[in-house]
Amino acid sequence: MRSRKDKKRSDDIFEKDYEKIRQINPSGRGKEDQVLPYPKDRSRRSSAKTRQKRTVFLMAKAAAPLLALAIGATAGIGIGYYLWGYERPYTINLRDIQMPSWVEQNFIRKNLFSRPDVTLKQVNNLVIHYVANTESSAEANRRYFDNLADQDPQQPGTVGGSHFIVGLEGEIIQCIPISEITYASNSRNFDTLAIEVCHPDDSGKFSQPTYDSLVRLTAWLCKELDLTSKDLIRHYDVNGKNCPKYYVENEDAWKQFKKDVKKAMK
């Protein structure tokens, strides 16, 4: 993402280019160079007018490719502005968002493997995961992510992490500030928040207290981050991984979860 200074410079360049295009004279001549008619001789004046029209036509024809190229370049810049997000600036300051009292903040250590201390500039989706470790608690999973810091940074190691973990009893632990990235969602680490969810058995289905807390957390985050239930995705939707297992294998359950979040947002 470009800085405001780079964006302002790009905007200035665009405005200058647009002004150049707007001032293009199709005849290719300035006013001081235009062919003027003779004042008295009608035939010569007619001939001069014909030559002037022909000159205007030829010069306009010659200038057409340049004009088309300039317009095309301007259109390309405009499309680029839209695709790069310049028309839709992200205005939420993630550092300013205060967590509610029912979320326990217990951040893991900054480290290369689970909390790399890289700024998360914006959040476009919330990604739901399951821990894939039956009957493990939120605290146990938090401790696992924190222990990844003990690996040798000079050697290949295990990476992982999550912003939030929802436990078997419905407890919620925040492991990483929402203004930082973590390694959880592959190619979407740089514009998503990750929520790991504990589960009692191999089916991957969340217990009712866990489910209720997950709905509450995601609904609250959606409102704070100006998202909707449509912005909830599974790890599966990122790279095809069977995660969260029950909500991948039971599509209706996933749809119901999104409906419950939408209802909770009201």
Side-chain angles (χ1 to χ4, degrees):
M1 184 67 65
R2 296 185 180 184
S3 66
R4 291 183 177 180
K5 184 177 180 180
D6 290 337
K7 177 184 180 299
K8 179 64 169 59
R9 183 171 179 271
S10 297
D11 289 344
D12 291 342
I13 293 173
F14 174 77
E15 292 297 335
K16 290 178 181 179
D17 289 345
Y18 178 79
E19 187 65 19
K20 289 179 181 179
I21 294 167
R22 191 181 67 80
Q23 293 181 355
I24 289 179
N25 183 347
S27 69
R29 295 175 180 266
K31 290 182 179 180
E32 69 281 2
D33 294 327
Q34 289 177 355
V35 178
L36 300 177
Y38 289 93
K40 296 181 179 180
D41 190 327
R42 187 180 298 272
S43 62
R44 292 186 66 185
R45 184 161 62 243
S46 176
S47 177
K49 188 177 295 185
T50 299
R51 287 197 303 271
Q52 181 184 9
K53 289 181 178 179
R54 183 178 299 171
T55 300
V56 169
F57 173 76
L58 291 175
M59 295 303 294
K61 185 177 180 180
L66 177 61
L67 182 61
L69 180 62
I71 293 174
T74 304
I77 293 173
I79 293 172
Y81 274 24
Y82 178 80
L83 293 177
W84 295 334
Y86 290 140
E87 297 299 327
R88 298 166 294 160
Y90 193 77
T91 58
I92 298 173
N93 188 337
L94 298 176
R95 295 179 183 274
D96 288 344
I97 296 177
Q98 299 296 315
M99 288 296 126
S101 60
W102 40 268
V103 173
E104 177 189 352
Q105 290 186 309
N106 191 2
F107 298 149
I108 63 176
R109 291 170 287 169
K110 294 180 179 181
N111 69 93
L112 180 65
F113 301 99
S114 56
R115 187 187 169 189
D117 194 22
V118 175
T119 300
L120 180 63
K121 294 184 178 180
Q122 67 181 68
V123 178
N124 294 323
N125 294 98
L126 306 179
V127 186
I128 309 301
H129 304 255
Y130 86 132
V131 298
N133 186 10
T134 59
E135 298 185 343
S136 62
S137 67
E139 178 54 37
N141 282 279
R142 179 213 164 273
R143 191 162 53 248
Y144 168 76
F145 291 138
D146 187 61
N147 288 341
L148 293 177
D150 295 330
Q151 301 175 95
D152 184 352
Q154 302 301 320
Q155 299 294 329
T158 300
V159 298
S162 184
H163 293 91
F164 300 93
I165 306 173
V166 183
L168 295 172
E169 302 301 322
E171 69 275 21
I172 302 172
I173 299 177
Q174 183 182 7
C175 302
I176 297 171
I178 62 172
S179 58
E180 297 179 20
I181 74 160
T182 189
Y183 304 123
S185 306
N186 305 92
S187 61
R188 298 298 307 280
N189 288 331
F190 290 92
D191 73 332
T192 61
L193 293 182
I195 305 174
E196 287 279 357
V197 187
C198 300
H199 48 95
D201 55 47
D202 289 331
S203 73
K205 185 177 181 179
F206 308 147
S207 68
Q208 196 60 50
T210 300
Y211 184 88
D212 292 343
S213 287
L214 178 62
V215 169
R216 185 184 189 187
L217 174 63
T218 51
W220 185 86
L221 287 170
C222 281
K223 288 191 290 186
E224 291 293 316
L225 299 169
D226 196 22
L227 301 175
T228 72
S229 59
K230 294 180 181 179
D231 298 312
L232 302 175
I233 61 176
R234 301 161 292 185
H235 194 175
Y236 167 81
D237 299 312
V238 177
N239 69 348
K241 183 177 180 179
N242 192 22
C243 173
K245 181 180 178 182
Y246 183 82
Y247 300 89
V248 172
E249 297 176 353
N250 297 272
E251 190 69 30
D252 289 342
W254 174 249
K255 291 179 179 178
Q256 184 60 51
F257 169 69
K258 296 175 76 172
K259 290 179 181 179
D260 290 340
V261 171
K262 183 177 181 180
K263 182 178 179 182
M265 291 178 66
K266 297 178 180 179

